[in-house]
Amino acid sequence: LERQVLPAWSKDTRARNFAVKRGTGIGIWILCILICLETLRIEAGVSVKSIIGLTSIFGIATGFAVKDLASNWVGGLLLFVTRPFVPGDKIEMTRLKQSVVERIGWYATRVRSDDDRVQVVPNSKFVSNKISNLSRRRHRSIRKSFHLAYEDLPKCGAIVTALREKLKSMPDVDENRRLYVYIKDLRETDVEIEAEVHWRGVSSLVYRQRRTEALLAIGDVVRDHGASFAVWDAVLSKSGVFEGPR
């Protein structure tokens, strides 16, 4: 039944496919249970109330022995109902690095990390820990601080203005969110400038490209204005922390 239903939804989202597949499984199990109960009632003359009573007693007796198993099953049911993630999403959780969800089962979920390691995580872990669904991010951002030589202080105003305009002209920039370029700190040795820019929901690959473009833009603006980045050894030497080679 799943093989017949799922192709019809092949053009829809992964979330809908997951819901159809899991809902179909639940429906089949419920139908099988109802058929078994009806068969017992007709063939053996056992009432449904008696079956439910015996099942309750058996459930209480075995509940303590299968507590972990039951908690994972409940976790699987909650994952289906709430859908914090679906197969194909990239997630992050406590003690779980960024990983792509490959399969969500009733007992456990299989994920694959960025270094291609496959892990099987009990579903109860997703109920008791904070989950970050990285695939549902609507924005990506970068916040970068860089240091210019103190001698370039007179040029910093023009650098800040030019860098702000250059970052604003980049593709996918969301101007409704923070776009900051400002002098963050001023010391005897250097001038610290911080830049922050946000892009509308881009993929990981595109984000890396935008991040590279933003960092290159910083270097271009600094060079075009005849300024230079502070050399860290020189900064430490002027502050007395590092006296240079002896």
Side-chain angles (χ1 to χ4, degrees), residues 68-99:
D68 292 339
L69 182 63
S71 65
N72 287 319
W73 280 347
V74 172
L77 179 61
L78 291 176
L79 290 179
F80 167 68
V81 174
T82 61
R83 280 190 288 179
F85 54 83
V86 295
D89 283 352
K90 192 170 189 177
I91 63 172
E92 187 177 37
M93 187 181 66
T94 306
R95 296 184 180 180
L96 178 66
K97 297 180 179 180
Q98 295 185 9
S99 303

Side-chain angles (χ1 to χ4, degrees), residues 185-209:
D185 201 0
L186 177 63
R187 291 179 286 268
E188 296 178 353
T189 56
D190 63 293
V191 181
E192 183 180 1
I193 298 177
E194 183 169 283
E196 180 179 357
V197 60
H198 294 252
W199 296 280
R200 288 181 292 271
V202 295
S203 65
S204 297
L205 179 60
V206 176
Y207 167 69
R208 289 178 172 87
Q209 295 174 349

Side-chain angles (χ1 to χ4, degrees), residues 19-20 34 64 85 91 100 115 207 231:
V20 172
L34 292 177
F64 293 101
F85 54 83
I91 63 172
V100 175
D115 56 1
Y207 167 69
V231 179

Side-chain angles (χ1 to χ4, degrees), residues 82-223:
T82 61
R83 280 190 288 179
F85 54 83
V86 295
D89 283 352
K90 192 170 189 177
I91 63 172
E92 187 177 37
M93 187 181 66
T94 306
R95 296 184 180 180
L96 178 66
K97 297 180 179 180
Q98 295 185 9
S99 303
V100 175
V101 178
E102 292 191 336
R103 181 181 181 276
I104 302 176
W106 285 112
Y107 178 80
T109 296
R110 186 177 69 229
V111 299
R112 186 180 297 272
S113 62
D114 289 341
D115 56 1
D116 207 36
R117 288 189 302 171
V118 176
Q119 301 182 63
V120 178
V121 184
N123 288 333
S124 60
K125 299 295 183 182
F126 296 107
V127 178
S128 58
N129 288 280
K130 180 180 178 180
I131 309 170
S132 297
N133 191 328
L134 306 180
S135 297
R136 296 181 185 177
R137 288 181 294 189
R138 294 179 294 180
H139 291 85
R140 297 292 187 95
S141 65
I142 178 177
R143 179 185 295 176
K144 179 65 177 178
S145 294
F146 56 96
H147 301 258
L148 300 182
Y150 181 80
E151 291 76 10
D152 295 325
L153 178 60
K155 306 174 184 177
C156 288
I159 291 175
V160 167
T161 302
L163 181 58
R164 184 182 297 114
E165 293 301 321
K166 190 158 188 173
L167 293 177
K168 187 182 297 185
S169 64
M170 292 180 62
D172 301 317
V173 169
D174 190 350
E175 298 184 15
N176 295 322
R177 297 180 71 89
R178 296 187 300 273
L179 199 162
Y180 294 156
V181 181
Y182 64 98
I183 297 177
K184 183 177 181 180
D185 201 0
L186 177 63
R187 291 179 286 268
E188 296 178 353
T189 56
D190 63 293
V191 181
E192 183 180 1
I193 298 177
E194 183 169 283
E196 180 179 357
V197 60
H198 294 252
W199 296 280
R200 288 181 292 271
V202 295
S203 65
S204 297
L205 179 60
V206 176
Y207 167 69
R208 289 178 172 87
Q209 295 174 349
R210 297 289 180 261
R211 181 184 177 90
T212 299
E213 293 169 0
L215 294 175
L216 291 175
I218 293 175
D220 292 341
V221 171
V222 171
R223 185 185 63 251

